[in-house]
Amino acid sequence: MAAKRVSVTQLASSLRDAITRFNRRVRQTRPVGDLTVTQLSALTSLQLAGALSPRELADAERVQPPTMTKIVAKLEERGLVQRTPHPTDGRQVILAATEAGRAILAQHERARDEWLAPRLAALTPEERETLRRAAEILQKVARA
Amino acid sequence: MAAKRVSVTQLASSLRDAITRFNRRVRQTRPVGDLTVTQLSALTSLQLAGALSPRELADAERVQPPTMTKIVAKLEERGLVQRTPHPTDGRQVILAATEAGRAILAQHERARDEWLAPRLAALTPEERETLRRAAEILQKVARA
DNA sequence: TCACGATCCTTAGCTTAACTAATGAGCCCG
DNA sequence: CGGGCTCATTAGTTAAGCTAAGGATCGTGA
């Protein structure tokens, strides 16, 4: 209880609308270094984890395995990801960022989110804190 | 100054990742009543505004005009949107939700966001309040 | 031990959603 | 009244996602 003025349904609508528009806006910005947002996200997950199977990476990115196959294929074309066979399980594949992939990520660490960062910087510290906590909550909800 | 622990760049990354995954999750849910999230959002904007030109609607939805042309075409096919010529300007078109369109929206007012609403309901009131304020901030940022 | 079900990844094919570039129609101003 | 601008659409491409189906491999239970 202590329900706020805004009902859950209304919150759902406005939150979804806000996120939809925000997301479009983020995607409108030209991909950094020829990597799309999706590809960059996958590559980042991969580097953070060290090495993952396609399924694990798909789960981490919340997409279906065939979708990840395509994303990985594009990253592999560019030589950013390497595919090695699993030592014991012949079905599995192990994915890892290559030297070039890590270089790209490092290179973009500063340039990353070049559209978004200045706009966040223009907000008040309280607003940024709200967004920081919201990001955590959204991750939790998406994961549920 | 008074910079929070988390740098703006880090916030940009984590916020973008959270929203990307969240958005995927929302889109994974099958469209309500055969309307996709995109179509529903456009139809809602249209009804809220009363009537808009394609360009105005595209601006409101943060997409390019050709994209809106396609979205509107699908809504028109279903008879949810009506296209009437502008009284004085022969170039322009006026879009408005039809009776059927309004009926669909009314019908979905309760069923809308059926995936999201229960998950929001499971959060604490404080978390919901954070998301409510975050939605406002995100709208503002997307609009900037 | 070996056959069968389960798991992993990929292929194939489809849909949606977005973009840019170009086209055609109409408006307006000099 | 002609040339430049704006509006909407068409055309064509790309990315991103899905489901369904296939082949290869693993592991288990009779």
Side-chain angles (χ1 to χ4, degrees):
Chain A
M1 71 317 290
K4 300 288 172 180
R5 291 285 116 213
V6 177
S7 76
V8 167
T9 305
Q10 276 181 304
L11 175 58
S13 290
S14 68
L15 186 61
R16 204 196 48 184
D17 282 356
I19 285 180
T20 297
R21 288 184 178 78
F22 182 88
N23 210 45
R24 280 176 186 152
R25 206 43 197 271
V26 168
R27 286 182 183 276
Q28 271 175 21
T29 67
R30 266 299 113 224
V32 180
D34 262 359
L35 285 185
T36 64
V37 170
T38 301
Q39 290 164 16
L40 192 57
S41 177
L43 187 55
T44 302
S45 287
L46 204 50
Q47 199 205 18
L48 285 177
L52 291 173
S53 71
R55 168 163 302 267
E56 287 168 335
L57 185 53
D59 287 347
E61 290 291 309
R62 297 262 139 223
V63 297
Q64 294 301 308
T67 301
M68 190 47 69
T69 294
K70 285 190 187 176
I71 296 171
V72 168
K74 278 172 191 153
L75 290 172
E76 212 186 356
E77 269 176 26
R78 286 185 165 83
L80 306 179
V81 157
Q82 197 176 13
R83 192 191 302 262
T84 56
H86 190 285
T88 62
D89 190 336
R91 296 166 301 179
Q92 286 191 48
V93 176
I94 296 174
L95 303 174
T98 62
E99 188 60 39
R102 285 191 296 274
I104 289 267
L105 283 178
Q107 176 192 332
H108 291 346
E109 230 163 56
R110 284 178 302 275
R112 209 176 152 182
D113 298 297
E114 53 191 5
W115 172 81
L116 182 53
R119 279 163 181 78
L120 294 179
L123 299 176
T124 68
E126 288 70 29
E127 287 175 322
R128 281 197 294 276
E129 178 60 17
T130 297
L131 290 182
R132 192 191 61 71
R133 287 192 290 143
E136 286 174 4
I137 299 170
L138 290 177
Q139 288 277 13
K140 188 170 71 173
V141 171
R143 219 169 290 284
Chain B
M1 27 62 213
K4 298 288 171 183
R5 290 286 115 212
V6 177
S7 77
V8 167
T9 306
Q10 276 181 303
L11 176 58
S13 291
S14 68
L15 186 61
R16 204 196 48 184
D17 282 357
I19 285 179
T20 298
R21 288 184 177 78
F22 182 87
N23 213 42
R24 279 177 187 148
R25 209 40 199 273
V26 167
R27 285 184 181 278
Q28 272 175 20
T29 68
R30 265 301 112 223
V32 180
D34 262 0
L35 285 184
T36 65
V37 169
T38 301
Q39 291 164 13
L40 193 57
S41 177
L43 186 56
T44 303
S45 287
L46 204 49
Q47 200 205 18
L48 285 178
L52 291 173
S53 71
R55 170 163 300 269
E56 288 168 334
L57 185 53
D59 288 346
E61 290 290 308
R62 295 266 141 221
V63 297
Q64 295 301 308
T67 302
M68 190 47 69
T69 294
K70 286 191 185 174
I71 296 171
V72 167
K74 278 174 191 150
L75 290 172
E76 215 186 354
E77 269 176 26
R78 287 185 165 83
L80 306 178
V81 157
Q82 197 175 12
R83 192 191 304 262
T84 57
H86 190 285
T88 62
D89 190 336
R91 296 165 303 179
Q92 287 191 47
V93 176
I94 296 174
L95 303 174
T98 62
E99 188 60 38
R102 285 190 296 275
I104 289 269
L105 283 178
Q107 175 193 332
H108 290 348
E109 230 162 57
R110 285 177 302 274
R112 209 178 150 179
D113 297 297
E114 54 192 6
W115 173 82
L116 183 52
R119 278 162 182 79
L120 293 179
L123 299 176
T124 69
E126 288 71 29
E127 286 174 324
R128 280 197 295 276
E129 178 61 15
T130 296
L131 290 183
R132 194 191 58 72
R133 286 193 291 142
E136 286 174 4
I137 299 169
L138 290 177
Q139 287 277 13
K140 189 170 71 174
V141 171
R143 221 168 289 284

